[in-house]
Amino acid sequence: MDITILGIESSCDDTSAAVIRNTTLLSNVIASQAVHVKYGGVIPELASRAHQQNIIPVVDTALKDAGVAPDKIDAIAFTRGPGLLGSLLVGTSFAKGLSIARNIPLVEVNHLQGHILSHFIDLPDHDMPHPDFPFLCLLVSGGHTQIVKVSSPLEMEIIGTTIDDAAGEAFDKCAKVMGLPYPGGPVIDKLAKEGDSDAFSFAKPHVRGEYDYSFSGLKTSFLYTLREKVAAEPDFVERHKADLCASLQRTIIDILLGKLIKASKESGIKDIAIAGGVSANSGLREAVAETGRRRGWRTFIPEMKFTTDNAAMIAVAGYYRYCNNIFSDLGVSPVARLEEIL
């Protein structure tokens, strides 16, 4: 029997709704928020207000694009967390309201697990390649950097995590220091293609945790380099922007891949995936693919449209929970921190 899931994602500054039938994507609608650009970061209050304005038209468009009536939905999957509490509250409240109005079951989804399970979304015209279980997933998003051992759609173990800044935060904070527009990660990626990745050397951390990450030292090293150079050459950043971006990006990728290679070697797992917003970085995508070729990995790199926050990944994660009869009641509340979900 076919199962149709409506997914709702509102963890940060993108309002998204998607419809899947089993694992096949029927629609995926995203409304982004440009209001945060001038502030150099997401303003939580503005984000939650924009979600309130966007949620109804986004869900309505997703259902119409999919050609699915509300009474044909088997379950509503929504992001419970982690994320911005006000933003999550909008999506959770809407999901509850629709659940009551249509008597449709609710399925809560861990946002990060949604990113990982985006590798199991199929498209209407063809099935996508899927990793075999168990596989390792390097999850790199704005606020999280993790290596996750994925044994099944419902069994995931975090074997490595950042102890301070995430990779996405390192990109954005260093971009801000250079005066680049927000979000900084894509801008650095673009400029890095024009620069020399060996032009500068930045600190790489030594972390006690076997597969854990740290990016605060890199950020500090980058800042000290800029201060020192700018003191002697006021227009240094403008003249060397591309080289700075290329060197920074190379260092972050080296840090990410160093632990991932170690985890693969010691676990014997050679199905390797990446996920999360930073998996859109062209340098990281190329480095993972090349490393996979050299080490005999089967690598799984998501389509660009599934790297950022989207409801398709929430819907497919909800599908697997639905198949295992894991439902939520109306008393469920959103949570901002990952630790509150685990």
Side-chain angles (χ1 to χ4, degrees):
M1 183 182 72
D2 288 337
I3 297 168
T4 303
I5 306 289
L6 169 66
I8 296 174
E9 156 61 20
S10 66
S11 64
C12 190
D13 61 337
D14 288 330
T15 312
S16 182
V19 178
I20 64 167
R21 181 163 293 131
N22 301 327
T23 59
T24 300
L25 184 64
L26 302 183
S27 68
N28 189 32
V29 179
I30 302 173
S32 299
Q33 302 174 6
V35 66
H36 308 286
V37 173
K38 65 180 179 180
Y39 298 105
V42 176
I43 307 301
E45 178 61 26
L46 296 179
S48 59
R49 289 181 183 179
H51 282 303
Q52 289 178 317
Q53 295 172 342
N54 293 336
I55 189 72
I56 292 176
V58 164
V59 171
D60 183 60
T61 301
L63 290 171
K64 288 178 178 176
D65 287 354
V68 173
D71 59 358
K72 299 300 182 182
I73 299 169
D74 292 298
I76 304 164
F78 66 97
T79 302
R80 185 185 178 204
L84 300 176
L85 195 55
S87 295
L88 291 165
L89 188 59
V90 175
T92 302
S93 299
F94 182 88
K96 287 182 181 181
L98 186 58
S99 172
I100 294 170
R102 295 285 182 170
N103 193 29
I104 303 172
L106 286 172
V107 181
E108 65 185 75
V109 173
N110 178 326
H111 176 80
L112 302 182
Q113 291 182 357
H115 274 300
I116 294 169
L117 292 175
S118 66
H119 286 284
F120 295 89
I121 299 170
D122 290 317
L123 300 178
D125 54 348
H126 67 282
D127 290 344
M128 302 292 288
H130 307 313
D132 291 333
F133 298 107
F135 67 92
L136 295 179
C137 184
L138 174 63
L139 176 61
V140 273
S141 66
H144 298 86
T145 300
Q146 300 173 343
I147 299 177
V148 182
K149 179 183 177 182
V150 186
S151 299
S152 79
L154 300 178
E155 298 175 81
M156 302 185 192
E157 178 188 1
I158 299 171
I159 63 173
T161 188
T162 182
I163 62 173
D164 43 56
D165 286 350
E169 291 173 317
F171 275 123
D172 286 341
K173 290 178 180 179
C174 291
K176 191 171 185 178
V177 170
M178 288 188 286
L180 300 180
Y182 174 86
V187 181
I188 288 178
D189 188 19
K190 181 178 179 180
L191 288 170
K193 296 174 183 177
E194 306 168 7
D196 177 5
S197 62
D198 294 318
F200 300 98
S201 179
F202 303 115
K204 295 181 181 178
H206 297 282
V207 185
R208 288 186 179 181
E210 193 172 15
Y211 308 126
D212 288 342
Y213 291 106
S214 170
F215 292 96
S216 64
L218 166 63
K219 182 187 65 178
T220 301
S221 174
F222 185 84
L223 178 60
Y224 283 163
T225 297
L226 257 61
R227 284 179 174 173
E228 180 182 87
K229 299 293 185 180
V230 170
E233 187 181 339
D235 63 345
F236 172 82
V237 173
E238 190 60 37
R239 294 182 59 224
H240 299 279
K241 195 174 292 182
D243 288 344
L244 286 166
C245 289
S247 300
L248 173 67
Q249 180 163 287
R250 175 187 56 80
T251 304
I252 291 177
I253 291 171
D254 286 350
I255 294 169
L256 290 171
L257 286 184
K259 293 298 181 80
L260 183 61
I261 291 169
K262 181 179 176 65
S264 172
K265 184 177 179 180
E266 296 183 354
S267 68
I269 297 173
K270 291 197 171 184
D271 271 24
I272 309 295
I274 59 174
V278 182
S279 68
N281 180 278
S282 64
L284 177 60
R285 295 166 76 91
E286 292 166 6
V288 169
E290 176 58 30
T291 302
R293 284 190 287 270
R294 288 190 284 103
R295 295 187 168 271
W297 293 349
R298 288 206 313 155
T299 56
F300 298 87
I301 299 171
E303 290 196 8
M304 295 297 287
K305 61 186 175 184
F306 297 135
T307 58
T308 55
D309 295 345
N310 65 90
M313 69 185 193
I314 303 304
V316 77
Y319 165 78
Y320 288 112
R321 294 176 73 83
Y322 180 95
C323 291
N324 285 271
N325 295 312
I326 303 174
F327 300 102
S328 304
D329 59 38
L330 291 171
V332 65
S333 59
V335 291
R337 297 170 57 84
L338 178 62
E339 294 79 6
E340 298 177 76
I341 300 177
L342 299 178

